Amino acid sequence: MDTKTLKLTPPKMIATAINLSILTALVVLTNNFFKSPPIIAKEVRLAQGSVVSPLLDNARAKEDIKELTIEEQATNFNKSVRNRYKNSMIYDVALGVKHIKLTKTINGRPVRINVVEINQKLNPNLQINPQLSSSRLASKSTITTLARKNNSLVAINGTYFKPQTGVPLGTLMINGKMYTGPIYNRVAMGIFDDGFDMARLELNAQVKSFKGNLKVDNINQPRMLSTHVIVYTPEWGTFAPPSPKYGKQIAVENGKIISIGAQAMPIPHNGYVIVGPDERLAKLYRAKHVDLDIKTIPNWDNVKHIISGGPYLVKNGEVFVDMTEQKLGAIGGKNPRTAIGYTQDGDFIMVAVDGREGASVGLTLKELAWFMKSIGCTNAMNLDGGGSTVMYVNGRVVNMPKVKGGIALSNALTIDLKS
């Protein structure tokens, strides 16, 4: 057939028109027969709890799942805190930071509690940091001095420490640097850029050389066994502690062994001293270059800070107090308490409980655990307590420790604004 217009006679035109009409009708009927029924009756339940039809209210559904504004997030945070701490005094510290004061009656006795709750998603400029009282481990200062030095919004006392010297007893890592290693593998909190984790922590460290690897039992901690190998860094002090019986010391500077002997050695500014039994250290005596490799079990990749305490209070949403397993039997009874934890939504919680007075008798560890669970903590742990318990908010100590302003402390956990 050529490309010219096809001419039809009138009868043929009429027949063609009839055929086209019949064909069109069949197509319409077929489409209607096989088309799915309307889904107006089908409902979608949104996060807010409202029920809408996706056809009748699709625009509203899209609006509901959009990213919340800062104002909306702040409103939700305010509601969450009010629901969590009914009949309490709630104060705004900064965007995403609430200070709550409450008194609870437990077994007929009053307990005064201060809580700080932090929402970093609402305010990404908030930082949670462990702090030392100075660049040396063997030092102490009041929490007010420590907090003001760092221009902190909030501070509480941190992990256990040796009262005579101030050296922290347990794991303490700040900005990726391990200052002290674990004791009895007690529970610790890992603080990451995007959240938290909590676990009983074990040191997994070694000094590596071409002559073999030497297991390191601890870092900057008092010796518990003569068989242990311990590494001491400049933060410990000018000199390493004395060697154990039949022990030796190896001084390392910039990865090179510079001295081997039995006497207490000066700690190189850019290095460390390894102290342990002669028979264990002997494999390194002929090594020219060594490398200190520090990890933990569990292996927390990209962890920024670690602070230890003990015992557990809440583990995976359940009350869990493993006081005996963590060798903390001496801290039972009703006492002033300090605790930290985090919620399912990622809010961080700090708690200070006053005790040993008529107006606030303190809490047992089990009572503290139930309280941490009641305010939404999925994981929580006890920190140093008793005379150490102190909380600082917006320039002043807000609880009532026995020593006004709190005793001198080794370390603290602070809330700061990014500079």
Side-chain angles (χ1 to χ4, degrees):
M1 183 175 62
D2 59 23
T3 57
K4 294 180 180 179
T5 304
L6 180 63
K7 293 184 178 180
L8 299 175
T9 60
K12 290 184 178 180
M13 292 177 64
I14 294 170
T16 300
I18 292 172
N19 290 338
L20 287 173
S21 298
I22 293 172
L23 182 60
T24 301
L26 288 172
V27 170
V28 171
L29 288 171
T30 302
N31 285 344
N32 286 337
F33 181 80
F34 288 105
K35 184 182 291 184
S36 300
I39 57 173
I40 294 173
K42 188 176 179 181
E43 297 173 339
V44 174
R45 188 169 298 277
L46 302 178
Q48 290 83 354
S50 58
V51 178
V52 297
S53 160
L55 286 185
L56 296 179
D57 211 349
N58 191 46
R60 180 182 164 196
K62 288 181 179 179
E63 181 70 19
D64 283 340
I65 62 174
K66 74 178 187 344
E67 186 173 343
L68 297 177
T69 65
I70 293 296
E71 291 76 14
E72 289 168 330
Q73 291 181 59
T75 299
N76 289 343
F77 182 51
N78 291 342
K79 288 179 180 178
S80 172
V81 171
R82 285 198 302 270
N83 289 335
R84 223 192 297 273
Y85 306 97
K86 291 181 172 65
N87 303 317
S88 303
M89 293 184 292
I90 301 172
Y91 305 93
D92 290 315
V93 179
L95 179 64
V97 183
K98 298 283 189 181
H99 173 213
I100 303 100
K101 296 180 74 74
L102 65 150
T103 299
K104 293 183 72 68
T105 300
I106 298 178
N107 295 326
R109 307 291 299 279
V111 182
R112 192 170 52 242
I113 304 173
N114 280 270
V115 182
V116 169
E117 189 159 336
I118 298 99
N119 184 324
Q120 288 178 290
K121 287 178 285 189
L122 176 58
N123 187 351
N125 288 321
L126 296 171
Q127 293 183 316
I128 303 167
N129 300 313
Q131 307 280 2
L132 285 163
S133 63
S134 83
S135 59
R136 291 291 177 93
L137 296 173
S139 63
K140 295 182 289 182
S141 62
T142 66
I143 201 156
T144 299
T145 300
L146 197 153
R148 287 178 177 171
K149 180 179 70 174
N150 295 285
N151 199 27
S152 301
L153 295 172
V154 178
I156 57 170
N157 60 291
T159 190
Y160 300 104
F161 61 94
K162 194 169 184 178
Q164 298 87 342
T165 63
V167 174
L169 297 175
T171 312
L172 187 65
M173 174 189 281
I174 303 174
N175 290 319
K177 181 175 182 177
M178 186 74 79
Y179 283 84
T180 52
I183 290 180
Y184 303 121
N185 299 337
R186 285 175 179 161
V187 65
M189 176 181 284
I191 302 171
F192 301 77
D193 285 332
D194 58 353
F196 315 99
D197 199 2
M198 192 174 289
R200 291 190 63 179
L201 207 67
E202 182 179 344
L203 187 67
N204 181 21
Q206 53 188 335
V207 178
K208 296 181 176 180
S209 79
F210 76 97
K211 291 290 185 179
N213 297 336
L214 173 66
K215 182 181 184 299
V216 173
D217 296 293
N218 223 321
I219 298 170
N220 290 332
Q221 290 290 275
R223 179 172 296 280
M224 292 185 177
L225 294 173
S226 61
T227 55
H228 279 177
V229 171
I230 305 176
V231 166
Y232 295 94
T233 69
E235 290 76 27
W236 174 265
T238 305
F239 282 83
S243 304
K245 189 176 182 179
Y246 308 118
K248 288 286 185 69
Q249 302 198 2
I250 301 174
V252 178
E253 186 173 28
N254 295 321
K256 294 182 178 180
I257 293 176
I258 60 172
S259 183
I260 300 173
Q263 302 303 313
M265 291 187 174
I267 302 174
H269 178 69
N270 294 317
Y272 49 90
V273 172
I274 310 165
V275 183
D278 177 59
E279 61 180 1
R280 289 189 62 186
L281 270 58
K283 65 174 66 178
L284 299 181
Y285 291 164
R286 299 182 64 183
K288 294 183 178 180
H289 186 276
V290 296
D291 181 37
L292 178 59
D293 180 47
I294 301 173
K295 293 185 176 65
T296 60
I297 301 172
N299 185 17
W300 280 340
D301 290 332
N302 303 317
V303 68
K304 189 173 183 180
H305 310 299
I306 301 174
I307 186 167
S308 68
Y312 257 114
L313 298 171
V314 181
K315 184 177 181 181
N316 299 326
E318 300 298 331
V319 167
F320 184 83
V321 182
D322 54 345
M323 181 170 57
T324 302
E325 292 84 346
Q326 296 194 39
K327 301 187 187 305
L328 289 164
I331 64 169
K334 287 184 180 290
N335 283 296
R337 302 287 184 188
T338 305
I340 54 175
Y342 52 92
T343 69
Q344 183 69 38
D345 294 331
D347 288 353
F348 183 70
I349 292 177
M350 313 163 85
V351 172
V353 179
D354 288 333
R356 300 175 184 167
E357 56 172 295
S360 184
V361 298
L363 293 176
T364 66
L365 288 168
K366 186 62 73 71
E367 289 168 344
L368 178 62
W370 280 109
F371 175 74
M372 298 301 282
K373 178 178 168 62
S374 76
I375 59 175
C377 288
T378 55
N379 285 285
M381 71 182 196
N382 185 58
L383 291 176
D384 191 12
S388 297
T389 290
V390 60
M391 178 179 281
Y392 168 102
V393 179
N394 263 354
R396 66 187 184 90
V397 173
V398 296
N399 71 317
M400 298 180 68
K402 184 175 182 180
V403 174
K404 187 176 181 181
I407 65 172
L409 302 166
S410 154
N411 63 95
L413 191 63
T414 66
I415 307 301
D416 313 304
L417 287 172
K418 292 179 182 178
S419 57

